[in-house]
Coordinates of all heavy atoms in Angstrom, one line a residue:
M1 N -122.1 -134.8 -118.2 CA -122.5 -133.5 -118.0 C -121.5 -132.8 -117.0 O -121.5 -133.1 -115.8 CB -123.9 -133.5 -117.4 CG -124.4 -132.1 -117.0 SD -126.0 -132.1 -116.2 CE -127.0 -133.0 -117.3
P2 N -120.5 -132.1 -117.5 CA -119.4 -131.5 -116.7 C -119.9 -130.6 -115.6 O -119.4 -130.5 -114.5 CB -118.6 -130.7 -117.7 CG -119.0 -131.1 -119.1 CD -120.4 -131.7 -118.9
A3 N -121.0 -129.9 -115.8 CA -121.5 -128.9 -114.8 C -122.0 -129.7 -113.6 O -121.9 -129.1 -112.5 CB -122.7 -128.1 -115.4
R4 N -122.4 -130.9 -113.7 CA -122.9 -131.7 -112.6 C -121.8 -131.9 -111.6 O -122.0 -131.8 -110.4 CB -123.5 -133.0 -113.1 CG -124.3 -133.7 -112.0 CD -125.0 -134.9 -112.6 NE -124.1 -136.0 -112.8 CZ -124.5 -137.1 -113.4 NH1 -125.7 -137.2 -113.8 NH2 -123.7 -138.1 -113.6
G5 N -120.6 -132.3 -112.1 CA -119.5 -132.5 -111.2 C -119.1 -131.2 -110.4 O -118.8 -131.2 -109.3
H6 N -119.1 -130.1 -111.2 CA -118.8 -128.8 -110.6 C -119.8 -128.4 -109.5 O -119.5 -128.0 -108.4 CB -118.8 -127.7 -111.7 CG -118.5 -126.3 -111.1 ND1 -117.3 -125.9 -110.6 CD2 -119.3 -125.3 -111.0 CE1 -117.4 -124.7 -110.2 NE2 -118.6 -124.3 -110.4
C7 N -121.1 -128.7 -109.8 CA -122.2 -128.4 -108.9 C -122.0 -129.2 -107.6 O -122.1 -128.7 -106.5 CB -123.5 -128.7 -109.5 SG -124.9 -128.4 -108.4
A8 N -121.7 -130.5 -107.8 CA -121.5 -131.4 -106.6 C -120.3 -130.9 -105.7 O -120.4 -130.9 -104.5 CB -121.2 -132.8 -107.1
R9 N -119.2 -130.5 -106.3 CA -118.1 -130.0 -105.5 C -118.5 -128.7 -104.8 O -118.1 -128.5 -103.7 CB -116.9 -129.7 -106.4 CG -116.2 -131.0 -106.9 CD -114.9 -130.6 -107.6 NE -115.1 -129.9 -108.8 CZ -115.4 -130.4 -110.0 NH1 -115.6 -131.6 -110.1 NH2 -115.5 -129.6 -111.0
L10 N -119.2 -127.8 -105.4 CA -119.7 -126.6 -104.8 C -120.6 -126.9 -103.6 O -120.5 -126.2 -102.6 CB -120.4 -125.7 -105.9 CG -120.8 -124.3 -105.5 CD1 -119.6 -123.5 -105.1 CD2 -121.6 -123.7 -106.6
C11 N -121.5 -127.8 -103.8 CA -122.5 -128.1 -102.8 C -121.8 -128.6 -101.5 O -122.4 -128.4 -100.4 CB -123.4 -129.2 -103.3 SG -124.5 -128.7 -104.6
H12 N -120.7 -129.2 -101.5 CA -120.0 -129.8 -100.3 C -119.5 -128.6 -99.5 O -119.2 -128.9 -98.3 CB -118.9 -130.7 -100.7 CG -119.5 -132.0 -101.2 ND1 -120.1 -132.9 -100.4 CD2 -119.5 -132.5 -102.5 CE1 -120.5 -134.0 -101.2 NE2 -120.1 -133.7 -102.4
R13 N -119.3 -127.5 -100.0 CA -118.7 -126.4 -99.2 C -119.8 -125.4 -98.7 O -119.5 -124.7 -97.7 CB -117.8 -125.6 -100.1 CG -116.5 -126.4 -100.4 CD -115.5 -125.5 -101.1 NE -116.1 -124.9 -102.3 CZ -115.5 -125.1 -103.5 NH1 -114.4 -125.8 -103.7 NH2 -116.1 -124.5 -104.6
A14 N -121.0 -125.4 -99.2 CA -122.0 -124.4 -98.9 C -122.7 -124.9 -97.6 O -122.9 -126.1 -97.5 CB -122.9 -124.2 -100.0
Q15 N -123.2 -124.0 -96.8 CA -124.0 -124.3 -95.6 C -125.5 -124.5 -96.1 O -126.2 -125.4 -95.6 CB -123.9 -123.3 -94.6 CG -122.6 -123.2 -93.9 CD -122.5 -122.1 -92.8 OE1 -123.5 -121.4 -92.6 NE2 -121.4 -122.1 -92.1
V16 N -125.9 -123.7 -97.0 CA -127.3 -123.7 -97.6 C -127.1 -123.6 -99.1 O -126.4 -122.7 -99.6 CB -128.2 -122.6 -97.0 CG1 -129.5 -122.7 -97.7 CG2 -128.3 -122.7 -95.5
L17 N -127.8 -124.5 -99.8 CA -127.8 -124.4 -101.2 C -129.1 -123.7 -101.7 O -130.2 -124.2 -101.4 CB -127.7 -125.8 -101.8 CG -127.6 -126.0 -103.3 CD1 -126.4 -125.3 -103.9 CD2 -127.6 -127.5 -103.7
L18 N -129.0 -122.6 -102.4 CA -130.1 -121.9 -102.9 C -130.3 -122.1 -104.4 O -129.4 -121.9 -105.2 CB -130.0 -120.4 -102.7 CG -129.7 -119.9 -101.2 CD1 -129.4 -118.5 -101.2 CD2 -130.9 -120.3 -100.3
L19 N -131.5 -122.6 -104.8 CA -131.8 -122.9 -106.2 C -133.1 -122.2 -106.6 O -134.1 -122.4 -106.0 CB -131.9 -124.5 -106.3 CG -130.8 -125.3 -105.9 CD1 -131.2 -126.8 -105.9 CD2 -129.6 -125.1 -106.8
D20 N -133.0 -121.5 -107.7 CA -134.1 -120.8 -108.2 C -134.5 -121.5 -109.6 O -133.9 -121.3 -110.6 CB -133.8 -119.4 -108.5 CG -135.0 -118.5 -108.9 OD1 -136.1 -119.1 -109.0 OD2 -134.9 -117.3 -109.1
E21 N -135.6 -122.3 -109.5 CA -136.1 -123.0 -110.7 C -135.0 -123.7 -111.5 O -134.8 -123.5 -112.7 CB -136.8 -122.0 -111.7 CG -138.0 -121.4 -111.0 CD -139.3 -122.0 -111.4 OE1 -139.3 -123.1 -112.0 OE2 -140.3 -121.4 -111.0
P22 N -134.2 -124.6 -110.8 CA -133.0 -125.2 -111.5 C -133.4 -126.1 -112.6 O -132.5 -126.3 -113.5 CB -132.3 -126.0 -110.4 CG -133.4 -126.3 -109.4 CD -134.3 -125.1 -109.5
S23 N -134.6 -126.7 -112.7 CA -134.9 -127.6 -113.7 C -136.0 -127.0 -114.6 O -136.6 -127.7 -115.4 CB -135.4 -128.9 -113.2 OG -136.5 -128.8 -112.3
G24 N -136.3 -125.7 -114.5 CA -137.4 -125.1 -115.2 C -137.3 -125.2 -116.7 O -138.3 -125.4 -117.4
A25 N -136.1 -125.1 -117.3 CA -136.0 -125.1 -118.8 C -135.4 -126.4 -119.3 O -134.9 -126.4 -120.4 CB -135.1 -123.9 -119.1
L26 N -135.4 -127.4 -118.5 CA -134.8 -128.7 -118.9 C -135.9 -129.7 -119.5 O -137.0 -129.6 -119.1 CB -134.1 -129.4 -117.7 CG -133.0 -128.6 -117.0 CD1 -132.5 -129.3 -115.8 CD2 -131.9 -128.3 -118.0
D27 N -135.4 -130.6 -120.3 CA -136.3 -131.6 -120.8 C -136.5 -132.6 -119.7 O -135.8 -132.6 -118.7 CB -135.7 -132.3 -122.1 CG -134.3 -132.9 -121.8 OD1 -133.3 -132.3 -121.8 OD2 -134.3 -134.1 -121.4
A28 N -137.5 -133.5 -119.8 CA -137.9 -134.4 -118.8 C -136.7 -135.3 -118.3 O -136.5 -135.6 -117.2 CB -139.1 -135.2 -119.2
L29 N -136.0 -135.9 -119.3 CA -134.9 -136.8 -119.0 C -133.8 -136.1 -118.2 O -133.3 -136.6 -117.1 CB -134.3 -137.4 -120.3 CG -133.2 -138.5 -120.1 CD1 -133.8 -139.6 -119.3 CD2 -132.7 -138.9 -121.4
T30 N -133.4 -134.9 -118.6 CA -132.3 -134.2 -117.9 C -132.9 -133.7 -116.5 O -132.1 -133.7 -115.5 CB -131.9 -132.9 -118.7 OG1 -131.5 -133.4 -120.0 CG2 -130.7 -132.2 -118.0
R31 N -134.1 -133.3 -116.4 CA -134.7 -132.9 -115.2 C -134.7 -134.0 -114.2 O -134.3 -133.9 -113.0 CB -136.2 -132.5 -115.4 CG -136.9 -132.0 -114.1 CD -138.3 -131.6 -114.3 NE -138.4 -130.5 -115.2 CZ -139.0 -130.5 -116.4 NH1 -139.6 -131.6 -116.9 NH2 -139.0 -129.4 -117.2
G32 N -135.0 -135.2 -114.6 CA -135.0 -136.4 -113.7 C -133.5 -136.7 -113.2 O -133.3 -137.0 -112.0
T33 N -132.6 -136.5 -114.1 CA -131.2 -136.7 -113.7 C -130.7 -135.7 -112.7 O -130.1 -136.1 -111.7 CB -130.3 -136.6 -115.0 OG1 -130.7 -137.6 -115.9 CG2 -128.8 -136.9 -114.6
I34 N -131.1 -134.5 -112.9 CA -130.7 -133.4 -111.9 C -131.4 -133.6 -110.6 O -130.8 -133.5 -109.5 CB -131.1 -132.0 -112.5 CG1 -130.2 -131.7 -113.7 CG2 -130.9 -130.9 -111.5 CD1 -128.7 -131.6 -113.5
Q35 N -132.7 -134.0 -110.6 CA -133.4 -134.3 -109.4 C -132.8 -135.4 -108.6 O -132.6 -135.4 -107.4 CB -134.9 -134.6 -109.6 CG -135.6 -133.4 -110.1 CD -137.0 -133.7 -110.6 OE1 -137.4 -134.8 -110.9 NE2 -137.9 -132.7 -110.7
D36 N -132.4 -136.5 -109.3 CA -131.7 -137.7 -108.7 C -130.4 -137.2 -108.1 O -130.1 -137.6 -107.0 CB -131.5 -138.8 -109.7 CG -132.8 -139.5 -110.2 OD1 -133.8 -139.3 -109.5 OD2 -132.7 -140.2 -111.2
E37 N -129.7 -136.4 -108.8 CA -128.4 -135.9 -108.3 C -128.5 -135.1 -107.1 O -127.8 -135.2 -106.1 CB -127.6 -135.2 -109.4 CG -126.2 -134.8 -109.1 CD -125.3 -136.0 -109.0 OE1 -125.7 -137.1 -109.4 OE2 -124.2 -135.9 -108.4
L38 N -129.5 -134.2 -107.0 CA -129.8 -133.4 -105.9 C -130.2 -134.2 -104.7 O -129.7 -134.0 -103.6 CB -130.9 -132.4 -106.2 CG -131.3 -131.4 -105.1 CD1 -130.0 -130.5 -104.7 CD2 -132.4 -130.5 -105.6
L39 N -131.0 -135.2 -104.9 CA -131.4 -136.2 -103.8 C -130.1 -136.9 -103.3 O -129.9 -137.0 -102.1 CB -132.4 -137.2 -104.3 CG -133.8 -136.6 -104.5 CD1 -134.7 -137.7 -105.2 CD2 -134.4 -136.2 -103.2
R40 N -129.2 -137.3 -104.2 CA -128.0 -138.0 -103.8 C -127.1 -137.1 -103.0 O -126.6 -137.5 -101.9 CB -127.3 -138.5 -105.0 CG -126.1 -139.4 -104.7 CD -125.2 -139.6 -105.9 NE -124.5 -138.4 -106.3 CZ -123.5 -137.8 -105.7 NH1 -123.1 -138.2 -104.5 NH2 -123.0 -136.6 -106.2
I41 N -126.9 -135.8 -103.4 CA -126.1 -134.9 -102.7 C -126.7 -134.6 -101.3 O -125.9 -134.6 -100.3 CB -126.0 -133.6 -103.5 CG1 -125.1 -133.8 -104.7 CG2 -125.4 -132.5 -102.6 CD1 -125.2 -132.7 -105.7
C42 N -128.0 -134.4 -101.2 CA -128.6 -134.1 -99.9 C -128.4 -135.3 -99.0 O -128.2 -135.1 -97.8 CB -130.1 -133.8 -100.1 SG -130.4 -132.2 -100.9
K43 N -128.6 -136.5 -99.5 CA -128.5 -137.7 -98.6 C -127.0 -137.9 -98.2 O -126.8 -138.2 -97.0 CB -128.9 -138.9 -99.4 CG -128.9 -140.2 -98.6 CD -129.5 -141.4 -99.4 CE -129.5 -142.6 -98.5 NZ -130.1 -143.7 -99.2
A44 N -126.1 -137.7 -99.1 CA -124.7 -137.9 -98.7 C -124.1 -136.8 -97.8 O -123.2 -137.1 -97.0 CB -123.8 -137.9 -100.0
T45 N -124.6 -135.6 -97.9 CA -124.0 -134.5 -97.1 C -124.9 -133.9 -96.0 O -124.4 -133.1 -95.2 CB -123.7 -133.3 -98.1 OG1 -124.9 -132.8 -98.6 CG2 -122.8 -133.7 -99.2
G46 N -126.2 -134.2 -96.0 CA -127.1 -133.6 -95.1 C -127.3 -132.1 -95.4 O -127.8 -131.4 -94.6
Q47 N -127.0 -131.8 -96.7 CA -127.1 -130.4 -97.2 C -128.6 -129.8 -97.0 O -129.5 -130.5 -97.3 CB -126.8 -130.4 -98.6 CG -126.7 -129.1 -99.3 CD -125.5 -128.3 -98.9 OE1 -124.4 -128.8 -98.9 NE2 -125.7 -127.0 -98.5
T48 N -128.7 -128.6 -96.5 CA -129.9 -127.9 -96.5 C -130.1 -127.2 -97.9 O -129.2 -126.5 -98.3 CB -129.9 -126.8 -95.4 OG1 -129.8 -127.5 -94.1 CG2 -131.2 -126.0 -95.4
V49 N -131.3 -127.4 -98.5 CA -131.5 -126.8 -99.8 C -132.8 -126.0 -99.7 O -133.8 -126.5 -99.2 CB -131.7 -127.9 -100.8 CG1 -132.0 -127.4 -102.2 CG2 -130.4 -128.8 -100.9
F50 N -132.7 -124.8 -100.3 CA -133.9 -124.0 -100.4 C -134.1 -123.8 -101.9 O -133.3 -123.2 -102.6 CB -133.7 -122.6 -99.7 CG -134.9 -121.7 -99.7 CD1 -135.9 -121.8 -98.7 CD2 -135.2 -120.9 -100.8 CE1 -137.0 -121.0 -98.8 CE2 -136.3 -120.1 -100.8 CZ -137.2 -120.2 -99.8
M51 N -135.2 -124.4 -102.4 CA -135.4 -124.4 -103.9 C -136.8 -123.7 -104.2 O -137.8 -124.1 -103.6 CB -135.4 -125.8 -104.4 CG -135.5 -125.9 -105.9 SD -135.2 -127.5 -106.5 CE -136.9 -128.1 -106.7
I52 N -136.7 -122.9 -105.2 CA -138.0 -122.3 -105.7 C -138.4 -123.1 -106.9 O -137.6 -123.3 -107.8 CB -137.7 -120.8 -106.1 CG1 -137.4 -120.0 -104.8 CG2 -139.0 -120.2 -106.8 CD1 -136.9 -118.6 -105.1
T53 N -139.7 -123.5 -106.9 CA -140.2 -124.2 -108.1 C -141.7 -123.9 -108.2 O -142.4 -123.6 -107.2 CB -140.0 -125.7 -108.0 OG1 -140.4 -126.3 -109.2 CG2 -140.6 -126.3 -106.8
H54 N -142.2 -123.9 -109.4 CA -143.6 -123.8 -109.7 C -144.2 -125.2 -110.0 O -145.4 -125.4 -110.2 CB -143.9 -122.9 -110.8 CG -143.7 -121.5 -110.5 ND1 -142.4 -120.9 -110.7 CD2 -144.5 -120.5 -109.9 CE1 -142.5 -119.6 -110.3 NE2 -143.7 -119.4 -109.8
D55 N -143.4 -126.2 -110.0 CA -143.8 -127.6 -110.3 C -144.1 -128.3 -109.0 O -143.3 -128.7 -108.2 CB -142.6 -128.3 -111.0 CG -142.9 -129.7 -111.5 OD1 -143.8 -130.3 -111.0 OD2 -142.2 -130.1 -112.5
V56 N -145.4 -128.6 -108.8 CA -145.9 -129.3 -107.6 C -145.3 -130.7 -107.5 O -144.9 -131.1 -106.4 CB -147.5 -129.3 -107.6 CG1 -148.0 -130.1 -106.4 CG2 -148.0 -127.9 -107.6
D57 N -145.2 -131.4 -108.6 CA -144.7 -132.8 -108.5 C -143.2 -132.7 -108.0 O -142.8 -133.6 -107.3 CB -144.7 -133.5 -109.9 CG -146.2 -133.8 -110.3 OD1 -147.0 -134.0 -109.4 OD2 -146.4 -133.9 -111.5
E58 N -142.5 -131.8 -108.5 CA -141.1 -131.6 -108.1 C -141.0 -131.3 -106.6 O -140.1 -131.8 -105.9 CB -140.4 -130.5 -109.0 CG -138.9 -130.3 -108.7 CD -138.3 -129.4 -109.7 OE1 -138.7 -128.2 -109.7 OE2 -137.3 -129.8 -110.4
A59 N -141.8 -130.4 -106.2 CA -141.8 -130.0 -104.7 C -142.2 -131.3 -103.9 O -141.5 -131.5 -102.9 CB -142.9 -128.9 -104.5
I60 N -143.1 -132.1 -104.3 CA -143.5 -133.3 -103.5 C -142.3 -134.3 -103.5 O -142.0 -134.9 -102.5 CB -144.8 -133.9 -104.1 CG1 -145.9 -133.0 -103.8 CG2 -145.0 -135.3 -103.5 CD1 -147.2 -133.4 -104.5
L61 N -141.7 -134.4 -104.7 CA -140.5 -135.4 -104.8 C -139.4 -134.9 -103.9 O -138.8 -135.8 -103.2 CB -140.1 -135.5 -106.2 CG -138.8 -136.3 -106.5 CD1 -139.0 -137.7 -106.1 CD2 -138.3 -136.1 -107.9
L62 N -139.0 -133.6 -103.9 CA -137.8 -133.2 -103.3 C -137.9 -132.6 -101.9 O -136.9 -132.6 -101.2 CB -137.1 -132.1 -104.2 CG -136.7 -132.6 -105.6 CD1 -136.2 -131.4 -106.5 CD2 -135.7 -133.7 -105.6
A63 N -139.0 -132.1 -101.5 CA -139.1 -131.3 -100.3 C -139.7 -132.1 -99.1 O -140.6 -132.9 -99.3 CB -140.0 -130.1 -100.5
D64 N -139.2 -131.8 -97.9 CA -139.8 -132.2 -96.7 C -140.8 -131.2 -96.2 O -141.8 -131.6 -95.6 CB -138.7 -132.4 -95.6 CG -137.7 -133.5 -95.9 OD1 -138.2 -134.5 -96.5 OD2 -136.6 -133.3 -95.6
T65 N -140.6 -130.0 -96.5 CA -141.6 -128.9 -96.2 C -141.7 -128.0 -97.4 O -140.7 -127.6 -98.0 CB -141.1 -128.0 -95.0 OG1 -140.8 -128.9 -93.9 CG2 -142.1 -127.0 -94.7
V66 N -143.0 -127.7 -97.8 CA -143.2 -126.8 -98.9 C -143.9 -125.6 -98.5 O -145.1 -125.6 -98.1 CB -144.2 -127.6 -100.0 CG1 -144.4 -126.7 -101.2 CG2 -143.6 -128.9 -100.4
P67 N -143.2 -124.4 -98.5 CA -143.8 -123.1 -98.1 C -144.6 -122.7 -99.3 O -144.2 -122.6 -100.4 CB -142.6 -122.2 -97.9 CG -141.4 -123.1 -97.9 CD -141.7 -124.3 -98.6
L68 N -145.9 -122.3 -99.1 CA -146.8 -121.8 -100.1 C -146.9 -120.3 -100.0 O -147.1 -119.8 -98.9 CB -148.1 -122.5 -100.0 CG -148.2 -124.0 -100.0 CD1 -149.6 -124.5 -99.7 CD2 -147.7 -124.5 -101.4
M69 N -146.7 -119.6 -101.1 CA -146.7 -118.2 -101.1 C -148.1 -117.6 -101.3 O -148.9 -118.2 -102.1 CB -145.8 -117.6 -102.2 CG -144.3 -118.1 -102.1 SD -143.5 -117.5 -100.6 CE -143.5 -115.7 -101.0
A70 N -148.4 -116.5 -100.6 CA -149.6 -115.8 -100.9 C -149.5 -115.1 -102.2 O -148.4 -114.7 -102.6 CB -149.9 -114.8 -99.7
H71 N -150.6 -114.8 -102.8 CA -150.6 -114.1 -104.1 C -150.7 -112.6 -103.9 O -151.3 -112.1 -102.9 CB -151.9 -114.5 -104.9 CG -151.9 -114.0 -106.3 ND1 -151.0 -114.3 -107.2 CD2 -152.8 -113.0 -106.8 CE1 -151.3 -113.6 -108.3 NE2 -152.4 -112.9 -108.1
G72 N -150.0 -111.8 -104.7 CA -150.2 -110.4 -104.7 C -148.8 -109.7 -104.5 O -147.8 -110.3 -104.4
P73 N -148.9 -108.4 -104.6 CA -147.6 -107.6 -104.6 C -146.9 -107.6 -103.2 O -145.7 -107.5 -103.1 CB -148.1 -106.2 -104.9 CG -149.5 -106.1 -104.6 CD -150.0 -107.5 -104.8
Q74 N -147.6 -107.9 -102.2 CA -147.0 -108.0 -100.8 C -146.9 -109.5 -100.4 O -147.3 -109.9 -99.3 CB -147.9 -107.2 -99.8 CG -148.1 -105.8 -100.2 CD -147.4 -104.9 -99.3 OE1 -147.3 -105.1 -98.1 NE2 -147.0 -103.7 -99.8
S75 N -146.5 -110.3 -101.4 CA -146.4 -111.7 -101.2 C -145.6 -112.1 -100.0 O -144.6 -111.5 -99.6 CB -145.8 -112.4 -102.5 OG -146.1 -113.7 -102.5
R76 N -146.1 -113.2 -99.3 CA -145.4 -113.7 -98.1 C -145.7 -115.2 -98.1 O -146.5 -115.7 -98.8 CB -145.9 -113.0 -96.9 CG -147.4 -113.2 -96.7 CD -148.0 -112.5 -95.4 NE -149.4 -112.6 -95.4 CZ -150.1 -113.7 -95.2 NH1 -149.5 -114.8 -95.0 NH2 -151.4 -113.6 -95.2
I77 N -145.1 -115.9 -97.1 CA -145.4 -117.3 -97.0 C -146.7 -117.4 -96.2 O -146.9 -116.9 -95.1 CB -144.3 -118.0 -96.2 CG1 -143.0 -118.0 -97.0 CG2 -144.7 -119.4 -95.8 CD1 -141.8 -118.6 -96.3
A78 N -147.7 -118.0 -96.9 CA -149.0 -118.1 -96.4 C -149.2 -119.3 -95.5 O -149.9 -119.3 -94.5 CB -150.1 -118.2 -97.5
E79 N -148.4 -120.4 -95.9 CA -148.5 -121.7 -95.1 C -147.3 -122.5 -95.5 O -146.8 -122.5 -96.6 CB -149.8 -122.4 -95.6 CG -150.1 -123.7 -94.9 CD -151.4 -124.3 -95.4 OE1 -152.1 -123.8 -96.3 OE2 -151.7 -125.4 -94.9
A80 N -146.9 -123.3 -94.5 CA -145.8 -124.3 -94.7 C -146.4 -125.7 -94.5 O -146.9 -126.0 -93.5 CB -144.7 -124.0 -93.7
V81 N -146.4 -126.4 -95.6 CA -147.0 -127.8 -95.6 C -145.9 -128.8 -95.5 O -144.9 -128.8 -96.2 CB -147.8 -128.0 -96.9 CG1 -148.4 -129.4 -96.9 CG2 -148.8 -127.0 -97.1
R82 N -146.0 -129.7 -94.4 CA -145.0 -130.8 -94.3 C -145.4 -131.9 -95.3 O -146.6 -132.2 -95.4 CB -145.1 -131.4 -92.9 CG -144.5 -130.5 -91.8 CD -143.0 -130.4 -91.7 NE -142.4 -131.7 -91.4 CZ -141.2 -131.9 -91.7 NH1 -140.4 -131.0 -92.2 NH2 -140.6 -133.1 -91.4
N83 N -144.4 -132.5 -95.9 CA -144.6 -133.6 -96.8 C -144.7 -134.9 -96.0 O -143.6 -135.3 -95.4 CB -143.5 -133.7 -97.8 CG -143.7 -134.7 -98.9 OD1 -144.6 -135.6 -98.8 ND2 -143.0 -134.6 -100.0
P84 N -145.8 -135.6 -95.9 CA -145.9 -136.8 -95.1 C -145.3 -138.0 -95.7 O -145.2 -139.1 -95.0 CB -147.4 -137.0 -94.9 CG -148.0 -136.4 -96.2 CD -147.1 -135.3 -96.6
L85 N -144.9 -138.0 -97.0 CA -144.3 -139.1 -97.6 C -142.9 -139.4 -97.1 O -142.2 -138.5 -96.7 CB -144.2 -138.9 -99.1 CG -145.6 -138.7 -99.8 CD1 -145.4 -138.3 -101.3 CD2 -146.5 -139.9 -99.7
P86 N -142.5 -140.7 -97.0 CA -141.2 -141.1 -96.5 C -140.1 -140.5 -97.4 O -140.3 -140.2 -98.6 CB -141.2 -142.6 -96.5 CG -142.3 -143.0 -97.3 CD -143.3 -141.9 -97.4
R87 N -138.9 -140.3 -96.8 CA -137.8 -139.6 -97.5 C -137.4 -140.3 -98.8 O -136.8 -139.7 -99.7 CB -136.7 -139.5 -96.5 CG -135.5 -138.6 -96.7 CD -135.9 -137.2 -97.2 NE -135.7 -136.1 -96.4 CZ -134.5 -135.6 -96.0 NH1 -133.4 -136.2 -96.3 NH2 -134.5 -134.4 -95.4
S88 N -137.6 -141.6 -98.9 CA -137.1 -142.3 -100.1 C -138.1 -142.2 -101.2 O -138.5 -143.1 -101.9 CB -136.9 -143.8 -99.8 OG -138.1 -144.3 -99.3
R89 N -138.6 -140.9 -101.5 CA -139.6 -140.7 -102.6 C -138.9 -140.8 -103.9 O -137.8 -140.3 -104.2 CB -140.1 -139.3 -102.4 CG -140.7 -138.9 -101.1 CD -141.2 -137.5 -101.0 NE -140.3 -136.5 -100.6 CZ -140.0 -136.2 -99.4 NH1 -140.5 -136.9 -98.4 NH2 -139.2 -135.3 -99.1
M90 N -139.6 -141.5 -104.8 CA -139.1 -141.7 -106.2 C -140.4 -141.9 -107.1 O -141.2 -142.7 -106.7 CB -138.2 -142.9 -106.3 CG -137.4 -142.9 -107.6 SD -136.3 -141.5 -107.9 CE -135.1 -141.6 -106.5
P91 N -140.5 -141.1 -108.1 CA -141.7 -141.3 -109.0 C -141.7 -142.7 -109.6 O -140.6 -143.3 -109.8 CB -141.5 -140.2 -110.1 CG -140.1 -139.8 -110.0 CD -139.6 -140.1 -108.7
P92 N -142.8 -143.3 -109.9 CA -142.9 -144.7 -110.4 C -142.1 -144.8 -111.7 O -141.5 -145.9 -111.9 CB -144.4 -144.8 -110.7 CG -145.1 -143.8 -109.9 CD -144.1 -142.7 -109.7
S93 N -141.9 -143.8 -112.5 CA -141.2 -144.0 -113.7 C -139.7 -144.2 -113.5 O -139.0 -144.6 -114.4 CB -141.4 -142.7 -114.6 OG -140.9 -141.6 -114.0
R94 N -139.2 -143.8 -112.3 CA -137.7 -144.0 -112.1 C -137.4 -145.0 -111.0 O -136.3 -145.1 -110.5 CB -137.2 -142.6 -111.7 CG -137.3 -141.6 -112.8 CD -136.5 -140.4 -112.7 NE -136.2 -139.8 -111.4 CZ -136.6 -138.6 -111.0 NH1 -137.3 -137.8 -111.8 NH2 -136.2 -138.1 -109.9
R95 N -138.4 -145.8 -110.6 CA -138.1 -146.9 -109.6 C -137.4 -148.0 -110.2 O -137.5 -148.4 -111.3 CB -139.4 -147.3 -109.0 CG -139.9 -146.3 -108.0 CD -141.2 -146.8 -107.3 NE -141.8 -145.7 -106.6 CZ -143.0 -145.6 -106.3 NH1 -143.8 -146.6 -106.6 NH2 -143.5 -144.6 -105.7

């Protein structure tokens, strides 16, 4: 996947990586690969990542803190939930 190498090079220069549903339109196998790569990049660089997702499992796997949005036209962060699971999170299917 050539885009993966380009993404990795880009990530090393940014102070904050902003991702908007990066795996939303991907099949399960590719989604897992991208998630693994994101975890690897974060571990190697200490990169701060702000990612928008509607996938609760993805949020639990990737995030240390999950901001939950309020519903409605004046949406705001209603609550920030800390993920109590240890940083080496990996779904059973990929262990």
Side-chain angles (χ1 to χ4, degrees):
M1 178 184 304
R4 192 168 77 184
H6 177 69
C7 180
R9 285 189 299 275
L10 184 65
C11 293
H12 289 289
R13 292 189 299 239
Q15 291 180 359
V16 177
L17 184 59
L18 303 174
L19 303 171
D20 186 0
E21 300 261 7
S23 60
L26 301 176
D27 62 272
L29 186 60
T30 305
R31 179 180 299 116
T33 301
I34 294 297
Q35 290 170 344
D36 290 345
E37 189 67 13
L38 183 59
L39 288 170
R40 187 194 66 73
I41 290 168
C42 289
K43 185 176 183 178
T45 66
Q47 184 76 46
T48 298
V49 178
F50 186 88
M51 184 172 98
I52 296 168
T53 183
H54 289 89
D55 185 334
V56 174
D57 292 333
E58 184 172 59
I60 292 169
L61 173 67
L62 299 175
D64 293 325
T65 304
V66 180
L68 302 173
M69 300 298 293
H71 183 69
Q74 306 249 327
S75 197
R76 59 179 174 70
I77 295 176
E79 181 179 2
V81 178
R82 291 281 303 157
N83 187 344
L85 298 174
R87 199 39 116 67
S88 58
R89 306 182 269 276
M90 196 58 66
S93 62
R94 296 197 326 242
R95 285 185 192 154

